[in-house]
Amino acid sequence: MKQIKTLIFYTTLLSHSRASAFNLRQQRSRPCRATSSVEASQTSDLVEISSAPPSNSRWATHALLFSSWTDGVVPNPAAKSFLRYSILKKLLKDHVVEKEDGLETSVKFSPCNGPNVDALNNLEAADNLSERGKEFSFETFDAAVRNEVDSWAKETLHYICTDSREVTVKLLYIPTAMYALNPKSSNTPGKQRQRARADGKKRRTQVLHLMSTLLSAESLENLSFQTITLDLDDDSLKQPEGPDNSQFPKDGKEALSSWDPTVIYVEGGNTFWLQHCIDKGEYSQLIIDACTGESGSVYCGKSAGAIVAGDDVSTATWKGWDDPTVVPNRETYDDWIGTKGFQFSESLSYFPHMSDDWIELVNGKVKGQKCNNTCCLREEEVCCIKGENKKTFVVSAAPEC
């Protein structure tokens, strides 16, 4: 494990640590200090970025933001632990709501009998699990104490599956960013789309496989998975997979609302095309509503999907990797300055694919554009958002230095 380092910077001094964030105003309650990094006496593979912001801020219920799925999430025990925890918190809350509705209905139709005592005791057990999960701090996902989360996860999964006839985990996969056409490609638009859809299907399968592994699905007969792909460009739903009795949404609006996905995965690619399609289809508020609140879906954002989850989408202009000319009437980088994202962690913006090569660039952009809070994520890093505690923290899959 690596030494824990703060990710908050109050001056233009830059850190060469694996986790890099830049902040030109105080975010913690302790005094502001001109320092590039602070080392604590303990060791950890986690780094906290923020604490409680103003009460009117918006937070995702649970979210994971990263540069790479294969380098950041798959080999990262802390990230996988947080992903499993987030999925189970969502399933537990949905289970409680369903049981409460059933209990209310039974009382309404049999007022003389009163509430079912066994059902009330059952809900109390669920409440206890929920409260225990809420108390987990970012340190709990560290390798040294992660068994506490693992124990809670096993107990929660056993409770949900024992108390339910069927438990369904739903994955809504959004590959829109990777569907953007490349005008410089030698392939025809048709071939580009065909290849992008095939690549998207392969990546979706990898995500679903990890989710299944984390939940030990092979050992639970009443646990099933449903998944479908949503392209925000044309509101099309494709490649549905699930048990024979699966019920899938009819369109994107339904997929993000009444279908109530457990996980919403927004793939990487061209950030400008993704944001354009979000705006064009008026999806922003739908995604925000789906991923916030007590029973919000787990948001997973890779690269472009991480950028649009932040406060300011214009971090996509910094490296010059994404081509803005794919969006009519917004064909220059200047057209995207000040564009707002989902703001899933209050005022924090995201800069994926960070490396030492970009330190000078990022420093200049932070000063020039006054981007107050920017979390820079390297390939091996994942930023985890825990909305109920208004916390964000970075976990790294990098080997010990």
Side-chain angles (χ1 to χ4, degrees):
M1 292 184 294
K2 300 161 293 300
Q3 288 187 319
I4 186 169
K5 296 179 182 291
T6 60
L7 286 180
I8 307 303
F9 293 78
Y10 304 108
T11 70
T12 58
L13 293 175
L14 302 181
S15 171
H16 289 260
S17 62
R18 296 188 182 278
S20 306
F22 303 85
N23 186 357
L24 299 184
R25 59 179 185 168
Q26 187 174 0
Q27 196 171 13
R28 293 174 183 260
S29 58
R30 59 181 176 81
C32 172
R33 295 180 179 178
T35 179
S36 58
S37 65
V38 178
E39 295 186 358
S41 58
Q42 66 195 83
T43 59
S44 175
D45 56 357
L46 300 96
V47 184
E48 184 181 12
I49 311 178
S50 66
S51 54
S55 58
N56 62 346
S57 63
R58 178 191 304 147
W59 285 80
T61 309
H62 297 96
L64 293 88
L65 309 177
F66 43 91
S67 301
S68 169
W69 173 260
T70 54
D71 295 332
V73 179
V74 175
N76 192 332
K80 290 188 290 187
S81 178
F82 185 77
L83 177 57
R84 178 172 61 171
Y85 161 83
S86 302
I87 291 172
L88 287 172
K89 281 282 289 183
K90 162 69 173 168
L91 293 176
L92 180 62
K93 182 61 181 178
D94 290 347
H95 178 78
V96 168
V97 170
E98 181 182 353
K99 290 297 180 181
E100 286 177 341
D101 290 345
L103 191 61
E104 182 179 348
T105 300
S106 66
V107 171
K108 185 182 298 184
F109 287 99
S110 301
C112 296
N113 294 330
N116 185 293
V117 176
D118 291 336
L120 286 174
N121 290 335
N122 189 286
L123 281 175
E124 185 176 353
D127 289 339
N128 290 335
L129 285 169
S130 182
E131 286 303 310
R132 281 171 52 196
K134 186 176 181 179
E135 293 172 359
F136 291 150
S137 65
F138 79 99
E139 294 97 338
T140 314
F141 297 91
D142 189 7
V145 289
R146 200 176 298 139
N147 59 334
E148 183 180 351
V149 180
D150 293 341
S151 176
W152 175 89
K154 292 177 182 177
E155 187 176 345
T156 301
L157 185 59
H158 175 76
Y159 165 79
I160 296 172
C161 290
T162 301
D163 196 52
S164 305
R165 292 182 179 179
E166 291 185 11
V167 179
T168 303
V169 181
K170 301 175 183 178
L171 169 64
L172 180 62
Y173 182 75
I174 302 177
T176 302
M178 64 181 296
Y179 284 4
L181 296 177
N182 181 2
K184 299 179 182 179
S185 174
S186 59
N187 291 324
T188 64
K191 286 186 177 180
Q192 289 186 55
R193 293 190 187 96
Q194 186 178 14
R195 180 169 182 175
R197 291 193 181 100
D199 288 346
K201 178 69 178 301
K202 185 183 299 183
R203 296 181 189 185
R204 190 187 77 174
T205 299
Q206 293 173 346
V207 174
L208 196 63
H209 175 73
L210 180 60
M211 288 171 54
S212 176
T213 301
L214 291 176
L215 297 177
S216 303
E218 69 279 356
S219 62
L220 298 167
E221 294 182 357
N222 60 336
L223 179 64
S224 63
F225 289 81
Q226 295 179 11
T227 182
I228 196 165
T229 293
L230 167 64
D231 183 4
L232 302 181
D233 178 27
D234 57 5
D235 196 47
S236 63
L237 291 166
K238 295 181 174 67
Q239 302 168 337
E241 289 185 9
D244 292 339
N245 61 345
S246 297
Q247 294 184 349
F248 291 102
K250 298 180 179 64
D251 54 38
K253 305 298 189 294
E254 185 177 320
L256 288 162
S257 54
S258 58
W259 194 57
D260 193 18
T262 313
V263 175
I264 296 175
Y265 187 104
V266 182
E267 186 61 77
N270 190 310
T271 309
F272 307 120
W273 180 250
L274 173 61
Q275 186 63 52
H276 165 69
C277 293
I278 291 172
D279 296 338
K280 179 180 66 171
E282 299 182 345
Y283 285 105
S284 182
Q285 194 58 50
L286 281 167
I287 294 175
I288 290 170
D289 291 343
C291 297
T292 56
E294 290 187 3
S295 188
S297 303
V298 182
Y299 182 92
C300 290
K302 171 188 167 186
S303 192
I307 293 176
V308 299
D311 174 59
D312 193 338
V313 176
S314 63
T315 55
T317 68
W318 291 4
K319 288 196 292 280
W321 284 5
D322 293 358
D323 181 7
T325 64
V326 298
V327 179
N329 302 318
R330 299 189 73 178
E331 294 153 344
T332 70
Y333 290 132
D334 288 344
D335 293 330
W336 295 91
I337 302 301
T339 301
K340 291 297 182 181
F342 300 138
Q343 299 176 297
F344 278 156
S345 48
E346 208 227 359
S347 60
L348 198 60
S349 301
Y350 295 92
F351 181 78
H353 307 292
M354 179 62 179
S355 71
D356 291 348
D357 294 338
W358 302 114
I359 288 178
E360 185 177 350
L361 170 73
V362 172
N363 184 41
K365 293 294 185 180
V366 169
K367 289 177 61 180
Q369 297 184 13
K370 298 180 180 179
C371 192
N372 290 326
N373 300 283
T374 300
C375 174
C376 297
L377 295 168
R378 295 175 182 260
E379 298 301 311
E380 70 273 14
E381 292 175 339
V382 178
C383 180
C384 302
I385 299 175
K386 195 166 182 279
E388 59 191 348
N389 302 114
K390 295 181 172 60
K391 296 280 188 177
T392 56
F393 55 93
V394 168
V395 295
S396 177
E400 182 179 357
C401 296

